[in-house]
Amino acid sequence: MRVFLRCYVTFLFLATAGVMASCRKQGSVAPPVQDSLVLFQLNQLPEIKLEVPLEQWNKLLQNFDVNPKNEEYIVAHYTFRQGAKEFKLDSMAIRIRGNTSRRRPEGNTGQLHNAAAPDWHHAHFALKFDKYRKTQRFNGLAKINLKWFKDDAAYAREIYCYDLFRRYNVWTAPKASYCRVSIHVSGDAQPAYFGVYAMIESIDEDYLAARKDKWGSDVGFLWKGGWSGYNNANFVSTASIGVEDVKLDPARSKYYAYDLKTREKELATAQSQLVSFIQELNTRTGSSFELWIEQKLDVELFLKAYAVNVLVGMWDDYWANGNNFYFYFNTTGKGYFIPYDYDNTLGTSYFFNAGTQDLLRWGNMTERPLITKLLEMEKWRNYYKACLKELVDVNKPFFYVTVSQQRITSWQNFIRPYVSNDTGEDMAIDDYPAAWGNAPFYRLFNGNEYGGAYGLANFFTTKQKQVSW
């Protein structure tokens, strides 16, 4: 006990100073081997417990008040329990994450932690294991993302999408599963249980290394594509390319439509490669384009990913909104599309009716050349249509209504006893899309084919009806 207390006091002091020390070097018992854990399994519900010093938790809240988009980390102690196995880290980092979904995890602006009457809120968290020890990993990972089921009463949308990508061998999609999350602020009588979260693989260098045999090369240049002010990642404009730097001071924060995520010190080389790719994509035509794109992009994998994308109704994507994807160039210069951020799907839509939108004209047809120029070619249009047809096949374990419902039901039954939580939010599993969407009538289990503004429509039935060729 004395060794533990001495380690903990040392930990708090050095954390405040910004320098992390290892209690293991001072004589504590080494944790179990991490490789004995198998992550991202949908038949398991591990528990993640974050123990946070009071001053660090208050720092997290204060940083949010200064700039909600900041990416400043705080120090925490990490415990991961999976069945009888337990693994601990005494110096890792957490921060709040998300775009429009980012929120304060406790209280209101200006309030610090209230141990007597805490006002907990669900929030997304990024966990970073190598922040203070560069070689430290958890089961080979430097990061894990934890997402609450914002606007998803079914507790299933993002999990379903990443599972479908995996089933359809779109191996670029990140892995995802369920977990339980607790946060214990030091001095509190007991941890706060935040309920069931989605545990999602971070798209970073460890993600790339785990797929090295697929890329066939060492780490190349990884870009995150999305919105940045008036610029979006449309593969037309090259006006917004760089390395994002989200500081506490909003005036000094920098955002880019194409945000370099690996080998940041080689930005000039990476930017030259991306600009060249975009220029060639937009200027080549006919057989010249066909030969070039098949050398520079894994076209089959990209179109398989897009067939899944449109079936699950991902409207905040590259094609419709120039948003929410990663793009990776391996060291030979070949490009790979990486799907990302699939919580607003399966009937939750905004710009258009994601249940009935034309699958061949999903989004912008003039400023999305990465998809539209391929679909202008009969060869690749037919391949894309064949993928859609295969996905909705009644005899295959992909998107067909009954097999989809069976999967979701099994997950819901598994997590249901653990959904009630100390935030008081999202306390029950139900079947409806986000309230802010434009199609409140979609259901995953009820309703028939979409027939207008009246009554309920089943999302799966509506989508598979579209694949009529």
Side-chain angles (χ1 to χ4, degrees):
M1 178 61 72
R2 290 178 180 176
V3 171
F4 172 80
L5 291 174
R6 186 165 61 251
C7 290
Y8 188 65
V9 170
T10 301
F11 166 77
L12 291 179
F13 173 78
L14 293 176
T16 304
V19 180
M20 301 308 303
S22 171
C23 283
R24 288 194 295 273
K25 293 180 180 180
Q26 300 179 33
S28 61
V29 177
V33 177
Q34 299 177 49
D35 291 342
S36 65
L37 301 173
V38 180
L39 302 184
F40 307 114
Q41 302 295 306
L42 286 170
N43 61 352
Q44 298 177 357
L45 190 61
E47 180 183 3
I48 292 175
K49 182 179 179 181
L50 303 170
E51 298 177 74
V52 187
L54 174 61
E55 71 275 12
Q56 291 289 303
W57 185 255
N58 282 334
K59 179 181 176 182
L60 182 78
L61 301 178
Q62 291 171 320
N63 287 348
F64 182 89
D65 293 346
V66 174
N67 178 13
K69 293 185 178 182
N70 84 85
E71 295 186 351
E72 300 294 319
Y73 285 91
I74 62 167
V75 181
H77 180 93
Y78 174 81
T79 300
F80 184 95
R81 295 189 182 95
Q82 186 181 81
K85 298 176 182 178
E86 182 178 276
F87 181 78
K88 293 187 176 184
L89 293 174
D90 58 12
S91 56
M92 50 81 68
I94 66 173
R95 68 170 174 85
I96 302 169
R97 66 181 301 275
N99 293 318
T100 57
S101 58
R102 190 175 296 215
R103 68 200 300 230
R104 212 176 192 266
E106 183 189 357
N108 298 312
T109 302
Q111 296 178 343
L112 298 180
H113 176 59
N114 184 340
D119 179 23
W120 303 113
H121 309 304
H122 276 146
H124 301 321
F125 297 100
L127 311 186
K128 186 171 174 63
F129 306 111
D130 66 345
K131 174 67 174 176
Y132 307 111
R133 298 176 185 149
K134 294 303 180 184
T135 60
Q136 179 169 268
R137 296 291 186 273
F138 170 63
N139 236 62
L141 302 175
K143 300 176 184 176
I144 288 178
N145 294 324
L146 301 178
K147 294 184 69 173
W148 64 291
F149 288 87
K150 180 182 184 295
D151 299 317
D152 181 13
Y155 272 79
R157 285 175 165 82
E158 193 152 28
I159 295 292
Y160 175 90
C161 293
Y162 287 138
D163 178 72
L164 183 59
F165 280 122
R166 181 189 62 79
R167 289 171 180 272
Y168 202 49
N169 199 28
V170 180
W171 51 265
T172 52
K175 299 175 182 177
S177 61
Y178 293 101
C179 68
R180 293 168 288 162
V181 175
S182 296
I183 298 177
H184 193 183
V185 178
S186 62
D188 287 7
Q190 60 186 15
Y193 178 56
F194 272 55
V196 175
Y197 268 58
M199 179 174 65
I200 301 175
E201 181 182 18
S202 176
I203 300 174
D204 54 22
E205 289 196 10
D206 290 316
Y207 156 93
L208 297 175
R211 294 160 176 80
K212 183 178 179 179
D213 61 327
K214 300 287 191 179
W215 315 119
S217 70
D218 292 326
V219 174
F221 294 118
L222 175 68
W223 298 93
K224 182 179 180 181
W227 270 94
S228 175
Y230 294 101
N231 297 295
N232 63 349
N234 56 15
F235 281 98
V236 176
S237 171
T238 58
S240 182
I241 300 174
V243 177
E244 287 190 349
D245 186 7
V246 186
K247 301 179 181 294
L248 278 177
D249 181 358
R252 297 174 58 208
S253 295
K254 298 178 182 179
Y255 304 91
Y256 299 94
Y258 303 93
D259 173 23
L260 183 62
K261 291 297 186 182
T262 58
R263 299 167 57 181
E264 292 93 339
K265 293 182 179 179
E266 302 173 61
L267 174 61
T269 301
Q271 181 168 342
S272 177
Q273 180 187 53
L274 177 61
V275 169
S276 176
F277 179 86
I278 291 173
Q279 290 174 343
E280 295 278 5
L281 175 65
N282 284 276
T283 56
R284 286 182 180 262
T285 59
S287 60
S288 174
F289 171 75
E290 181 177 359
L291 290 172
W292 175 83
I293 195 65
E294 291 175 5
Q295 291 176 346
K296 292 295 183 178
L297 178 71
D298 190 324
V299 178
E300 289 190 1
L301 186 60
F302 173 60
L303 292 178
K304 287 183 70 172
Y306 243 97
V308 173
N309 184 92
V310 299
L311 276 182
V312 300
M314 172 55 159
W315 55 272
D316 193 16
D317 65 332
Y318 163 67
W319 196 348
N321 203 25
N323 198 25
N324 286 328
F325 68 93
Y326 284 78
F327 197 81
Y328 176 61
F329 291 102
N330 70 8
T331 53
T332 69
K334 190 162 188 174
Y336 296 83
F337 180 86
I338 302 171
Y340 171 73
D341 202 4
Y342 278 74
D343 48 358
N344 292 328
T345 53
L346 301 186
T348 291
S349 59
Y350 188 72
F351 291 127
F352 47 70
N353 184 330
T356 59
Q357 182 76 357
D358 190 337
L359 302 179
L360 295 171
R361 301 183 62 85
W362 184 252
N364 189 310
M365 299 300 293
T366 60
E367 294 185 355
R368 303 294 186 270
L370 192 62
I371 180 69
T372 56
K373 291 187 73 169
L374 283 169
L375 295 186
E376 289 172 357
M377 301 165 56
E378 183 178 10
K379 168 186 175 181
W380 291 118
R381 184 172 62 254
N382 288 339
Y383 180 82
Y384 172 71
K385 292 167 71 174
C387 289
L388 290 166
K389 189 172 182 178
E390 183 178 28
L391 282 163
V392 301
D393 190 328
V394 63
N395 297 311
K396 296 189 176 181
F398 300 130
F399 187 83
Y400 191 77
V401 55
T402 53
V403 295
S404 292
Q405 290 173 340
Q406 288 168 3
R407 287 203 299 275
I408 293 174
T409 297
S410 68
W411 301 335
Q412 290 177 335
N413 290 340
F414 184 49
I415 67 171
R416 195 182 306 275
Y418 307 96
V419 165
S420 181
N421 63 86
D422 291 334
T423 72
E425 303 170 331
D426 316 303
M427 298 282 279
I429 295 175
D430 213 328
D431 184 13
Y432 51 82
W436 48 259
N438 62 359
F441 43 79
Y442 278 123
R443 297 293 183 269
L444 303 182
F445 292 95
N446 299 312
N448 300 306
E449 178 189 349
Y450 175 69
Y454 302 99
L456 301 180
N458 183 271
F459 184 78
F460 295 112
T461 304
T462 299
K463 294 296 288 191
Q464 62 198 39
K465 185 71 173 180
Q466 285 188 282
V467 186
S468 57
W469 44 80

